[in-house]
Amino acid sequence: DVHDDDVGGGCHPSDFDKDGCAFDYARDCAKDECAVGAIVNFTNILSSYYHHHENDSVDKEEDDIWVEMKATSLKFITHIVGDVHQPLHVSRSTDTGGNDITVKLTSSNNEEEEDLETLYSYPTTDRNGNLYGHGHSHHHSHNLHSVWDTTIIQHAISKFYQGSFESFQQSIEKDVASKTLQTFSSSECMDGQNKDCVSTWAQESWNYALHSAYAHVDGTEISTGDSLSDDYLEGRLEVVKKCLGMGGIRLAQVLELALGTAEGKEEELSLKKMSALRGALS
């Protein structure tokens, strides 16, 4: 059972330097039961598979088991590395990563409600698959988590990328190719088998959650019932794009290191790795 990484539930945008307002593996990932722990464990399994197959005496039954483990590990690594780079997957347990914060969207262009309804996807269930009650079915209401899962991206694609997801994806790839994202990242460590390394990714996302996701444009904290304008959606777009880009870069490097194909941890991401990046952005 893999759950999101819950960081200090009592932390708020003004509490960045407060004790406990940081990702702590021992506290937040007891028994490795969190997204960071899952990345480390599944990367170790994937790496072990390839080292195991250096032994030519592996029988077919044993090989079938390892093949299944490899496939499962690849699926989880791809999914969970992406999750860790969505800031509200590494956030407060007290509001279930923003799922319990209901917000409304307003447009500076004064679109009618029907236009907003057509433009954005509106969640009908919580992250456990439970139907929202009547209070969550208000026309053009979201929870904060869904805003970061989809709405910021949908808004950007509609307004800045002519409705084309491919154009949005290509803009991130250009940032990666120009090293914009590498210089932005606070972490140079991309080894998925290293607990401390993966923890820095979680801390990076938690910082974004605290200062970008949970905060209005003016820095005040977002509460249930608040309205989010285009200024919020567009002001957070750069963070979302950087998180998506770094997730792709790190996933590509995690797989190369685990599969023994990287020349070293300092190797730059080349355009040849773009297929892995595109997979992470899809």
Side-chain angles (χ1 to χ4, degrees):
D1 181 23
V2 178
H3 56 74
D4 295 342
D5 296 318
D6 297 327
V7 188
C11 297
H12 301 276
S14 61
D15 296 334
F16 182 68
D17 295 324
K18 178 180 175 182
D19 289 343
C21 289
F23 179 77
D24 183 290
Y25 193 93
R27 180 196 66 202
D28 301 321
C29 199
K31 299 180 181 180
D32 299 334
E33 294 179 354
C34 74
V36 168
I39 291 170
V40 173
N41 290 336
F42 283 116
T43 305
N44 281 330
I45 292 171
L46 184 63
S47 180
S48 296
Y49 168 84
Y50 282 93
H51 288 119
H52 179 77
H53 274 66
E54 292 176 357
N55 181 355
D56 294 332
S57 64
V58 177
D59 60 43
K60 184 179 186 307
E61 182 177 356
E62 186 178 5
D63 186 59
D64 288 343
I65 294 173
W66 277 99
V67 168
E68 183 177 353
M69 291 174 66
K70 179 197 75 170
T72 299
S73 297
L74 278 170
K75 291 175 183 177
F76 272 101
I77 291 168
T78 302
H79 181 88
I80 303 170
V81 169
D83 272 357
V84 165
H85 287 82
Q86 203 278 54
L88 288 178
H89 281 276
V90 187
S91 53
R92 301 188 304 215
S93 57
T94 49
D95 53 49
T96 328
N99 277 280
D100 299 335
I101 301 176
T102 302
V103 295
K104 297 177 183 179
L105 299 180
T106 60
S107 173
S108 59
N109 295 324
N110 298 315
E111 284 101 335
E112 295 295 329
E113 287 183 351
E114 289 78 9
D115 294 330
L116 288 173
E117 186 77 13
T118 300
L119 180 58
Y120 304 129
S121 299
Y122 291 81
T124 58
T125 63
D126 64 21
R127 65 182 189 172
N128 296 315
N130 302 311
L131 287 172
Y132 282 135
H134 178 71
H136 287 274
S137 61
H138 188 281
H139 198 58
H140 104 244
S141 66
H142 281 246
N143 65 53
L144 187 61
H145 192 102
S146 74
V147 168
W148 279 76
D149 269 347
T150 58
T151 309
I152 294 173
I153 295 172
Q154 289 174 332
H155 177 81
I157 289 173
S158 175
K159 187 168 183 177
F160 303 117
Y161 298 96
Q162 297 76 51
S164 169
F165 176 81
E166 183 178 0
S167 295
F168 175 72
Q169 178 177 307
Q170 288 172 350
S171 73
I172 297 175
E173 292 173 8
K174 287 180 181 178
D175 287 342
V176 171
S178 66
K179 300 184 181 180
T180 301
L181 293 172
Q182 289 98 316
T183 57
F184 174 83
S185 173
S186 62
S187 169
E188 296 298 326
C189 182
M190 299 190 185
D191 185 355
Q193 295 177 269
N194 185 323
K195 176 180 69 178
D196 294 333
C197 172
V198 183
S199 292
T200 64
W201 309 349
Q203 180 61 49
E204 184 178 270
S205 287
W206 167 234
N207 293 345
Y208 293 142
L210 199 59
H211 291 293
S212 296
Y214 284 122
H216 284 289
V217 175
D218 64 4
T220 59
E221 184 164 4
I222 295 172
S223 301
T224 288
D226 284 359
S227 294
L228 302 181
S229 69
D230 289 356
D231 289 340
Y232 177 89
L233 300 180
E234 294 164 16
R236 300 314 187 242
L237 177 60
E238 182 180 6
V239 171
V240 170
K241 289 182 65 179
K242 285 172 179 174
C243 288
L244 287 170
M246 288 309 304
I249 290 171
R250 287 166 175 157
L251 175 60
Q253 195 71 358
V254 164
L255 295 178
E256 289 207 346
L257 290 170
L259 305 181
T261 56
E263 295 179 1
K265 295 182 183 179
E266 300 298 323
E267 181 186 23
E268 293 184 5
L269 183 72
S270 69
L271 293 177
K272 293 180 180 179
K273 299 179 188 175
M274 282 300 177
S275 59
L277 176 59
R278 291 190 182 102
L281 295 176
S282 298

